[in-house]
Amino acid sequence: MNPTRSIVDENKDRFLEELISFLKIPSISADSAYKEEVVRAADWLMAQFNSLKMDKVEKFPTKGHPIVYAEKIVDPSLPTILTYGHYDVQPPDPLDLWHSPPFEPVIKDEKIYARGACDDKGQLYMHLKAIEILQRQGELPCNVKFLIEGEEEIGSDNLEHFVQEHKELLKADIILVSDTSMIANDVPSITVGLRGMSYMEVEVTGPNRDLHSGVYGGSIDNPINILCEMIASLKDENGAITIPGFYDKVEELSKTQREFLAERPFDREAYMNDLEVDDLRGESGYSPLERASIRPTLDVNGIWGGYIGEGAKTVLPSKASAKISMRLVPNQVSSEITDLFTEHFLKLAPSTVKVKVRPHHGGEPAVVSTESLGYQAAAKAMEDSFGKTPIPTREGGSIPIVALFQKELGLDTVLMGFGLDSDAIHSPNEHYGVFNYLKGIETIPYFHRHFAELNKG
Ligand code: BES
Ligand code: MN
Ligand code: MN
């Protein structure tokens, strides 16, 4: 067996225990009740970086949660790898659907169950263990910098400012991120595209107070009914989004590009069985994988209003609201889509109601090149550890800082993720395979070596 794999295997139990202690910290960025816990996760990381004997380990406060930065410059003439990750996690609810508490990690059937196990604590921590391995084997082949934020799950607003203000500190040759999925444990892949995002909240107000639905029902327009009509009209019978101008800038892929992406294996039956749905629907003219990666979407994330307590209350509500997100593809611009949505949604409202539209966070889509040295180093690294050439894939999720790194730092990002779509990220019972965790720890040192080699030219 190769020496890197042996170190991984010898240290497997400790690597798992360390991750478990990280996962026990409920660093929920969205919930201000957990502010202290988010800081505790940042401090935990600081301690880990310190024990890796980095030259510099720093915690940068922001208006929100802190950013953790670490670096080790072994030789200024060597290339520098900047690893990005996030130590914050999504809220764990609904709690009653978890088989074990989200912040009391357990290993069951070779999977680590906890909120953040895959997204992104488990994937992020692999990079620290990879540094430990490289150091045991000698000198680091590249300089390393780490930028780990605590606000990815809430839109990375403060990171954007930090990146603009610290261009010199963040100078590097490539950005490395493990915060995406691969196709399957025996089908390695590298993500080459992510969608952007425009996230809106809407509120429809009818009468000035809740009314008796018998006394007023029929004569007064019901804001929940209206909201449903407005939302329903946002897609036509072909599953296309009806907002004028929405598709104007959408990048149309060539036949060859689509055929290439369609080489990714996809088992429609297994996909449906996993989610217990009897059929798949979506924008006509596109396959399910295309609809979830290279095409933009519009989804209601939450909708509320009226009476939702136990039993029946006859009420004609005063207000109804919804959270609506749109996933964007190259070359859509999130602020433009936000404006198009707002203008259109306000126009949809009948004269019986008042409508408010408010944007939440946005983010730009990103495509990364398969030609970069970074991509090539990642492909070689995965070949070393999986014994197979990885397939480039475009994914549907969003990591808005990837476009930002490109714009502000002029740097390519390598999205070398080790999760699986079935890891239930953001859902109850999130988990991360022990195989995936250890495979990541094994692959990353190869990446550092190949990246150093390729840069020698
Ligand atoms: N790691 C995910 C993004 C992801 C997951 C990309 C799987 C590809 C495959 C990230 O933490 C995330 O959840 N991003 C948010 C966007 C953010 C602006 C809240 C998302 O995609 O909803
Ligand atoms: Mn993530
Ligand atoms: Mn996430």
Side-chain angles (χ1 to χ4, degrees):
M1 201 189 297
N2 74 59
T4 303
R5 185 70 221 181
S6 309
I7 302 185
V8 175
D9 289 339
E10 282 157 25
N11 292 282
K12 170 181 170 181
D13 292 342
R14 179 173 58 84
F15 287 174
L16 285 166
E17 277 160 29
E18 289 173 9
L19 174 57
I20 284 172
S21 61
F22 191 19
L23 292 171
K24 281 184 184 165
I25 308 170
S27 47
I28 307 165
S29 51
D31 188 342
S32 56
Y34 289 85
K35 202 168 164 51
E36 300 289 307
E37 298 292 344
V38 178
V39 173
R40 212 153 67 79
D43 290 338
W44 188 91
L45 270 179
M46 302 271 295
Q48 298 300 320
F49 280 122
N50 279 318
S51 69
L52 286 173
K53 304 263 175 298
M54 296 275 139
D55 307 332
K56 198 193 266 183
V57 181
E58 239 177 290
K59 187 167 75 176
F60 288 92
T62 72
K63 275 189 227 148
H65 303 301
I67 291 165
V68 174
Y69 176 81
E71 70 173 36
K72 189 164 181 96
I73 309 296
V74 287
D75 177 347
S77 69
L78 288 174
T80 301
I81 299 171
L82 171 61
T83 300
Y84 162 85
H86 63 94
Y87 66 84
D88 65 321
V89 300
Q90 285 275 328
D93 28 327
L95 281 174
D96 51 316
L97 294 182
W98 284 78
H99 302 315
S100 56
F103 298 105
E104 292 171 32
V106 291
I107 300 180
K108 215 177 80 186
D109 305 326
E110 289 296 301
K111 296 177 186 93
I112 313 148
Y113 283 86
R115 171 56 86 230
C118 172
D119 184 13
D120 180 38
K121 285 175 173 168
Q123 296 214 61
L124 148 66
Y125 197 59
M126 300 181 312
H127 289 268
L128 280 79
K129 295 299 95 182
I131 298 298
E132 179 188 318
I133 290 176
L134 286 166
Q135 287 180 334
R136 274 175 192 238
Q137 294 178 328
E139 198 68 90
L140 295 179
C142 293
N143 301 315
V144 295
K145 295 183 174 179
F146 284 87
L147 178 66
I148 318 291
E149 69 160 319
E151 302 193 315
E152 196 275 346
E153 300 291 9
I154 51 173
S156 303
D157 285 349
N158 293 304
L159 186 73
E160 176 164 352
H161 184 69
F162 182 86
V163 170
Q164 287 159 351
E165 297 292 302
H166 293 87
K167 290 191 182 168
E168 193 56 38
L169 181 73
L170 301 176
K171 245 185 159 173
D173 295 280
I174 191 75
I175 293 176
L176 178 60
V177 181
S178 296
D179 193 23
T180 50
S181 313
M182 49 182 197
I183 297 172
N185 283 352
D186 58 353
V187 190
S189 57
I190 298 175
T191 305
V192 293
L194 290 167
R195 288 193 285 193
M197 163 93 84
S198 173
Y199 200 122
M200 316 294 296
E201 185 160 330
V202 300
E203 184 188 72
V204 177
T205 304
N208 62 359
R209 57 185 187 274
D210 284 6
L211 304 172
H212 188 291
S213 65
V215 176
Y216 289 98
S219 78
I220 294 295
D221 239 349
N222 180 324
I224 301 184
N225 294 27
I226 299 298
L227 176 60
C228 291
E229 285 170 24
M230 291 168 75
I231 290 172
S233 79
L234 293 174
K235 287 195 192 177
D236 69 15
E237 64 282 7
N238 298 316
I241 294 155
T242 55
I243 300 168
F246 185 85
Y247 290 98
D248 284 2
K249 291 194 174 172
V250 167
E251 166 206 54
E252 294 293 340
L253 271 65
S254 70
K255 194 159 164 282
T256 335
Q257 280 173 310
R258 286 178 68 183
E259 278 168 3
F260 179 71
L261 290 170
E263 277 172 32
R264 166 180 179 168
F266 179 70
D267 182 340
R268 188 187 171 103
E269 289 302 313
Y271 191 83
M272 293 195 300
N273 283 339
D274 175 41
L275 303 174
E276 296 177 45
V277 296
D278 297 328
D279 205 357
L280 300 177
R281 261 170 24 116
E283 189 185 2
S284 51
Y286 296 92
S287 71
L289 272 186
E290 288 179 323
R291 291 171 188 155
S293 60
I294 59 164
R295 297 298 296 169
T297 59
L298 181 150
D299 278 290
V300 180
N301 296 253
I303 183 164
W304 66 99
Y307 182 68
I308 53 168
E310 195 182 331
K313 176 189 178 190
T314 48
V315 60
L316 194 165
S318 166
K319 283 180 192 299
S321 302
K323 293 183 195 279
I324 301 174
S325 68
M326 289 159 285
R327 296 275 170 179
L328 313 179
V329 299
N331 304 302
Q332 288 179 297
V333 179
S334 124
S335 61
E336 292 176 6
I337 295 297
T338 296
D339 290 346
L340 290 176
F341 177 94
T342 306
E343 191 186 334
H344 180 64
F345 205 76
L346 292 174
K347 270 194 203 143
L348 284 178
S351 50
T352 49
V353 296
K354 295 175 195 73
V355 174
K356 279 190 198 148
V357 179
R358 176 166 86 85
H360 282 283
H361 54 70
E364 306 315 319
V367 272
V368 299
S369 149
T370 53
E371 306 294 319
S372 74
L373 291 186
Y375 184 91
Q376 290 169 38
K380 282 173 181 279
M382 284 185 128
E383 273 164 33
D384 291 347
S385 60
F386 287 88
K388 280 182 186 172
T389 305
I391 302 175
T393 56
R394 302 244 313 228
E395 284 199 89
S398 308
I399 310 179
I401 46 82
V402 174
L404 195 86
F405 286 145
Q406 182 66 55
K407 177 171 151 236
E408 299 292 341
L409 305 174
L411 287 180
D412 278 324
T413 296
V414 174
L415 295 161
M416 187 169 71
F418 294 89
L420 295 176
D421 284 348
S422 55
D423 285 344
I425 63 172
H426 295 204
S427 302
N429 305 306
E430 174 176 355
H431 54 271
Y432 191 35
V434 172
F435 168 88
N436 304 71
Y437 179 56
L438 299 177
K439 207 47 144 180
I441 299 174
E442 180 189 349
T443 308
I444 295 161
Y446 300 141
F447 175 86
H448 284 246
R449 294 214 177 84
H450 285 300
F451 192 67
E453 277 306 312
L454 289 168
N455 271 281
K456 281 179 196 157

